[in-house]
Amino acid sequence: MAWVFVRLKTKLLLNGLRGQGWRVLFVILGGLFGLWIAVAGFVALATTGADTAKGPTIAVLVGTALALGWTVMPLLGMGSDASLDPVRLSRLPLTRSQLMTGQLAAAFVGIGAALTAVALLGAVLGLGPGGPGVVLVALAAIGQLLVCICGSRAVLSALS
């Protein structure tokens, strides 16, 4: 069922870019700005492994900034996502678990989630020690991405 939500979100995003040049321009400009921030986060996290004194502090600060950014942006209205509004979807014959799983899967589709994943990839490359420690750092990066997305979804659901 989650795959249906992902396809619906992808289709809604692509259809939203058709016909209006200003919308495409703002998406491109926002994507470039987000890419700049994602590359800065990637570099900051990738270089923290070399500095054993300040590295963990930098990683915690970047992770906190990501979580706060994902939580505060919907409050400012810039990150509002009405494409898969839970109120509209509540009319469909879906169980609560199907709706929550689908909403979570659909939240991974978009520029913000992709750029956050790029920034967190820097942590895997910079902080991941050789051997099985890389798996632990990768799981922590996935957990951080889940915290960001779930926090944003919780704020969006509370606002709707």
Side-chain angles (χ1 to χ4, degrees):
M1 181 50 107
W3 182 246
V4 174
F5 280 81
V6 170
R7 287 188 327 190
L8 178 62
K9 175 78 179 267
T10 305
K11 191 66 100 168
L12 286 170
L13 286 174
L14 292 175
N15 286 342
L17 295 175
R18 291 188 184 167
Q20 297 174 339
W22 61 271
R23 184 178 281 179
V24 175
L25 177 68
F26 283 136
V27 168
I28 290 172
L29 290 175
L32 289 174
F33 180 71
L35 183 64
W36 178 73
I37 291 177
V39 168
F42 177 87
V43 169
L45 289 172
T47 58
T48 57
D51 188 5
T52 57
K54 296 178 186 173
T57 305
I58 293 171
V60 168
L61 289 175
V62 171
T64 304
L66 282 172
L68 279 174
W70 273 83
T71 305
V72 171
M73 282 303 178
L75 294 174
L76 299 176
M78 295 177 198
S80 62
D81 182 14
S83 60
L84 294 176
D85 187 16
V87 174
R88 292 183 197 170
L89 295 173
S90 65
R91 298 181 201 142
L92 297 174
L94 299 171
T95 64
R96 183 175 290 231
S97 64
Q98 287 175 327
L99 185 61
M100 288 177 21
T101 306
Q103 286 281 16
L104 181 63
F108 283 98
V109 176
I111 295 173
L115 293 177
T116 303
V118 166
L120 291 172
L121 182 63
V124 175
L125 296 177
L127 297 172
V134 174
V135 175
L136 185 62
V137 174
L139 289 174
I142 292 170
Q144 176 68 29
L145 184 61
L146 279 170
V147 164
C148 291
I149 288 177
C150 289
S152 174
R153 284 286 150 186
V155 170
L156 286 171
S157 294
L159 289 176
S160 67

